[in-house]
């Protein structure tokens, strides 16, 4: 039996991590202490305890337990569970655990709705994907969603120490693990408890004992084992968009350290196109008119990155990221176009004023096109006051200069034109 199964907690008190939902007076503990068991959906990355907690809840309930893995099951497997509902040993109802429920299609998920509503089936489902994207809405509305997060380093070390005690009891040789070694394993695992246990087990059984028949596991042994840290990065998954979001928000928040951190995570995923697209939109959405030349620099950096490819692309990408993170910020251009588009959706907008309609064709003047148009270059400061917006929205304001040096100069210029026209 793998070490991860040997150490699998038998009670909720043995579960490491998930302190936001597990612990004294926390929600899952209160559910276990209550006679009422709701339908639940657990979502989060692999190796963080979703299946373990589901099985603990199942054992403590008085319901008959069925377990299905959606990746290798079908509608027939659900029908078998439904067929067993009237059996005498199922009078207290059935607890159905569906692992990786995102792999079931809509019809498969719908097939258990009726039995959830009449209480014959209590559902616990787990998924590594965001359930709000992948779980059928009617099923989702009948369930309570719990997010399981990556396990903290100190909690992984706590779990590793429990596992070490099991290894010592089962081994024919003495085993010694240094704190540094356990910490390195925790770092390699990147929040995945199962991965950490697998690394621990492999190192323990692949390290030769010394002449005193003692297996000494230290940080040097871990490094020599050439484990590669695999980040939780799925280009089609929810975590991918979380990293992209954190990347943009860190730049918007003028935090170059965090911005570079998330850039590094995106670079590990080797998705060059998404990084370049995000940098280009940030240059206009978040920096905009506060530093209008930012987009020119970023375009040069992203063009260079696309031509270079990885690994060299990381350098111009870092340059663009730091430039944007440390630039003054303005979202006035983003707000201006958003306001204009929203107005088009919600307001009655009349025709383009006739004096600024196209008049470059034969007969335009006969129908009044451009007759009253005032050519700005014929006037002082190349400006003359006239109406450009349609009559129904002639007083609309979309662009409002923000409090940065460039836009304050824009504001002064517009005020000057207005005062001197």
């Amino acid at each position: 039996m793998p070490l991860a199964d040997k150490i699998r907690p038998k009670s909720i008190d043995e579960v490491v991590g998930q302190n936001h939902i597990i612990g004294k007076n926390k929600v899952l503990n209160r559910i276990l202490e209550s006679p009422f068991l709701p339908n639940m959906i657990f979502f989060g990355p692999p190796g963080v305890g979703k299946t373990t907690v589901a099985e603990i809840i199942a054992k403590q309930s008085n319901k008959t337990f069925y377990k299905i893995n959606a990746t290798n099951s079908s509608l027939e497997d659900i029908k078998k569970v439904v067929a067993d509902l009237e059996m005498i040993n199922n009078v207290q109802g059935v607890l159905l655990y569906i692992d990786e429920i995102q792999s079931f299609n809509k019809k498969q998920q719908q097939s258990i709705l009726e039995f959830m509503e009449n209480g014959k089936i209590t559902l616990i489902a787990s998924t590594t994907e965001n359930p709000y994207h992948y779980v059928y809405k009617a099923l989702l509305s009948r369930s309570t969603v719990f997010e399981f997060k990556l396990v903290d380093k100190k909690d992984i070390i706590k779990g590793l120490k429990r596992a070490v005690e099991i290894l010592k009891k089962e081994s024919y040789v003495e085993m010694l693990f240094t704190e540094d070694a356990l910490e390195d394993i925790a770092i390699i695992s990147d929040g995945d408890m199962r991965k950490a246990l697998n690394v621990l087990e492999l190192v323990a059984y692949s390290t030769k004992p010394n002449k005193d028949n003692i297996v000494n596991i230290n940080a040097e042994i871990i490094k020599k084992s050439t484990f590669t840290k695999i980040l939780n990065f799925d280009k089609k998954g929810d975590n991918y968009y979380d990293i992209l979001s954190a990347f943009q928000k860190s730049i918007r928040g003028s935090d170059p350290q965090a911005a570079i951190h998330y850039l590094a995570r995106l670079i590990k995923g080797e998705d060059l196109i998404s990084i370049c697209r995000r940098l280009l939109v940030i240059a206009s959405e978040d920096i905009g008119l506060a530093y209008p030349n930012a987009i020119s620099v970023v375009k040069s950096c992203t063009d260079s990155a696309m031509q270079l490819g990885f690994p060299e692309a990381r350098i111009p990408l870092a340059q663009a990221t730091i430039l944007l993170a440390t630039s003054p910020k303005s979202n006035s251009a983003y707000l201006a176009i958003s306001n204009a588009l929203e107005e088009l959706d919600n307001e009655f907008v009349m025709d383009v004023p006739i004096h600024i309609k196209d008049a470059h064709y034969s007969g335009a003047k006969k129908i009044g096109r451009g007759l009253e148009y005032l050519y700005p270059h014929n006037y002082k400061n190349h400006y003359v006051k006239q109406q450009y917006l349609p009559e129904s929205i002639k007083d609309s304001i979309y662009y409002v200069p923000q409090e940065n040096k460039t836009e304050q100069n824009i504001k002064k210029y517009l005020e000057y034109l207005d005062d001197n026209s």
Side-chain angles (χ1 to χ4, degrees), residues 159 271 322 399 401:
D271 188 358
I322 295 169
Y399 170 65

Side-chain angles (χ1 to χ4, degrees), residues 170-182:
E170 294 186 349
S171 178
Y172 62 91
V173 296
E174 187 176 353
M175 288 189 174
L176 299 176
F177 289 79
T178 66
E179 289 286 338
D180 287 347
L182 296 181

Side-chain angles (χ1 to χ4, degrees), residues 218-231:
N218 52 37
E220 191 62 29
I221 294 291
I222 304 300
K223 290 175 183 175
K224 287 182 178 178
S225 299
T226 63
F227 291 105
T228 301
K229 182 178 179 181
I230 301 174
L231 294 175

Side-chain angles (χ1 to χ4, degrees), residues 26 51 61 93 104 136 235 263-264 290 351 397 403:
K26 296 294 176 64
T51 302
S61 75
F104 271 166
Y136 177 50
K235 290 181 184 179
L263 173 64
D351 198 8
I397 302 294
E403 298 296 325

